Amino acid sequence: MLERITKSITSASIFLAGYFLLNIALRIALPHTLDLDEAEQSFYSQYLLAGYGPQPPFYNWIQYAIVSVTGISMWVLSVPKNIILFGCYLFYGLAAREVLKSRSLAAVAMLSLITLPQVGLMAQRELTHTVALLFATSLFLFGFFRTLRQPTIGSYLLIGIATGIGLISKYNFAILPFAALIAVLPERQWRSRLIDWRLLPAAVLAILIVLPHALWLPDNLLSASAPTLERMTAEHLAPAGLPRIGQGLLSLVIAVLGFVALPIVLIAAAFRRDFFRALSSSSPMIRVIERMMFISLLAFVGVVLFAGASDIHERWLDPCLLVLLIYLFLKLETADIDLSAGLARFRPVVPVFMVVILSILLFRIVGIQYIGTYTRTNVPFSGYVAELTATRKPVLIVAGTKFVAGNMRLEFPDVPVVIPFFPGPGVPEYAAAKGPVLVIWRGETADDPTISPGFANDLVKSGIHLPELKTLTLPYLFGDGKRSFSIGYSWVEGGAK
């Protein structure tokens, strides 16, 4: 059965499609409380903007386009994400097929993406912008390898499309096309690809895709970069100078090991001595991929040395190291050894990982009382809504955070949900509101719904004065009943005074 699935990209894709349908079904069956990234998408889907803050807007544009047609729902948040993830696997398989002679090996390389924790588990659990980045990276690898093997105007344009999408998905994608360009230079047989006239329309296409966001970026550079720089330098703060550099380099090494260790161990265990024999194999394509990964990681070393980064996250390495599995299977194929026994041992890994990932996604929510660490998806937003709106319905909701705003937007798809000073000054919707306005927030901790001074100050600046601060506390979903989550709220009448 597994051998038939991995005979071609087509059969492996059908198998993957079934897996992603299961992921969609599971997310729909679980509580409809949104995690941070989901809530952000729910809230932002009200606006079509050239930029939304610290993350580039590609995923937001996709979500806005769909929501504007269908309206907001859990389906609309879950289905596009899984389609984009499926596209990541599909184009990764097509990229593998460009460099691997064996169609079966290419299919296995595609399916083995699930063994990368950042792709198999983290992307399904809570990420959105990174999902778009993974898709763009796979699309770029397909266009890049296709151009090296058999250049056409279509392959060059594919590179341009992938580069444009990647740059407005995550800023760190910029490392990948730069690394690919440098990696090709030493190879005489492919150097001419860099001075081909078809590279020009590809570049123009990439620029056109990026242009709306690029025009927004100069005037909003601080809001786009500050949160990321804060995460890179503030967490586990080390003294300036050499200690900070040492901590940053150690963080990079740990991130690399966390990214690559699991698939390497699994492939080594499956292919045993053949894996270690294959490590010495080489070819022009292998050398190009090695340079790409090395140059990409060298760029992160530069970020540590010159930008003061002291905390590198694994997911930031996605465009640098996603190609790893193609590289490992290319090494095995180039070694010209019989891989049938290793493939037979490796194939069961994929369905096992699928079952494990689905089980983790389920148990982290429904088995939370046994784990003890409650997730945001266990927050009972539907219960809050039932209590708050038993006697009246809001015409406008003013929320303190994107987490609260996104969840309220899902609960009230026909009611505007706003945050003070986003995307414009104050809350202009409040002045026009004719009826009850619900102001709602969460505190710093689960059991403390105290309104933050910043949010309180923003409300006053927007002309919103809270007559009475109230608290609503409900137990976590699937909890033991002993732990609860509290929100703060207040009802006010719309219209600026």
Side-chain angles (χ1 to χ4, degrees), residues 137-218:
T137 301
S138 290
L139 186 63
F140 180 89
L141 292 174
F142 173 47
F144 176 65
F145 292 143
R146 184 64 178 264
T147 299
L148 292 185
R149 190 181 67 83
Q150 189 178 352
T152 63
I153 183 65
S155 70
Y156 275 97
L157 291 179
L158 202 60
I159 291 176
I161 293 170
T163 300
I165 291 174
L167 291 174
I168 57 172
S169 295
K170 282 277 194 177
Y171 298 124
N172 59 327
F173 178 86
I175 294 172
L176 179 59
F178 171 76
L181 178 73
I182 302 301
V184 171
L185 280 174
E187 299 296 331
R188 184 188 305 175
Q189 68 187 94
W190 292 325
R191 204 176 299 153
S192 60
R193 307 287 195 271
L194 304 179
I195 53 174
D196 194 299
W197 68 268
R198 291 168 289 193
L199 195 59
L200 182 60
V204 170
L205 188 54
I207 291 170
L208 289 175
I209 293 171
V210 174
L211 190 60
H213 183 62
L215 294 174
W216 172 90
L217 196 56

Side-chain angles (χ1 to χ4, degrees), residues 262-455:
L262 183 57
I264 288 178
V265 167
L266 291 170
I267 293 173
F271 290 91
R272 300 176 183 177
R273 283 180 295 181
D274 291 340
F275 174 80
F276 296 98
R277 286 171 53 198
L279 290 179
S280 60
S281 62
S282 186
S283 70
M285 187 65 76
I286 287 174
R287 291 194 296 270
V288 166
I289 296 175
E290 286 172 342
R291 291 189 204 106
M292 285 172 62
M293 291 191 290
F294 177 77
I295 293 165
S296 297
L297 294 177
L298 199 60
F300 273 95
V301 172
V303 170
V304 170
L305 295 177
F306 302 111
S310 60
D311 188 40
I312 306 297
H313 294 198
E314 286 178 33
R315 65 178 178 273
W316 296 349
L317 304 178
D318 285 337
C320 311
L321 298 177
L322 194 69
V323 73
L324 173 74
L325 295 163
I326 293 177
Y327 169 72
L328 293 176
F329 283 108
L330 182 58
K331 280 265 189 183
L332 286 164
E333 186 178 66
T334 306
D336 197 24
I337 52 183
D338 183 7
L339 302 178
S340 56
L343 284 173
R345 287 189 290 265
F346 185 78
R347 285 189 184 101
V349 169
V350 173
V352 167
F353 263 70
M354 290 178 172
V355 171
V356 168
I357 289 170
L358 289 168
S359 300
I360 291 173
L361 295 174
L362 174 64
F363 192 73
R364 68 185 286 266
I365 307 300
V366 303
I368 202 68
Q369 58 181 301
Y370 306 108
I371 300 173
T373 303
Y374 288 78
T375 73
R376 296 180 186 89
T377 311
N378 292 99
V379 176
F381 264 99
S382 58
Y384 295 142
V385 169
E387 294 273 352
L388 292 173
T389 61
T391 58
R392 53 182 163 176
K393 307 291 183 187
V395 298
L396 174 70
I397 298 171
V398 182
T401 63
K402 287 180 286 187
F403 170 63
V404 175
N407 275 284
M408 296 307 288
R409 162 87 166 138
L410 185 64
E411 295 289 343
F412 293 97
D414 299 322
V415 177
V417 181
V418 298
I419 292 176
F421 300 99
F422 181 91
V427 187
E429 295 88 350
Y430 175 65
K434 303 299 181 185
V437 174
L438 175 61
V439 182
I440 183 169
W441 62 90
R442 62 158 298 181
E444 289 295 322
T445 61
D447 55 358
D448 180 15
T450 304
I451 189 169
S452 71
F455 181 50

Side-chain angles (χ1 to χ4, degrees), residues 115-118 252-263 314 317:
T115 66
L116 286 172
Q118 290 299 316
L252 176 59
V253 171
I254 293 172
V256 171
L257 291 176
F259 195 102
V260 307
L262 183 57
E314 286 178 33
L317 304 178

Side-chain angles (χ1 to χ4, degrees), residues 124-146:
Q124 276 292 354
R125 200 179 77 176
E126 57 186 353
L127 303 177
T128 53
H129 298 284
T130 299
V131 169
L133 171 70
L134 292 169
F135 170 80
T137 301
S138 290
L139 186 63
F140 180 89
L141 292 174
F142 173 47
F144 176 65
F145 292 143
R146 184 64 178 264

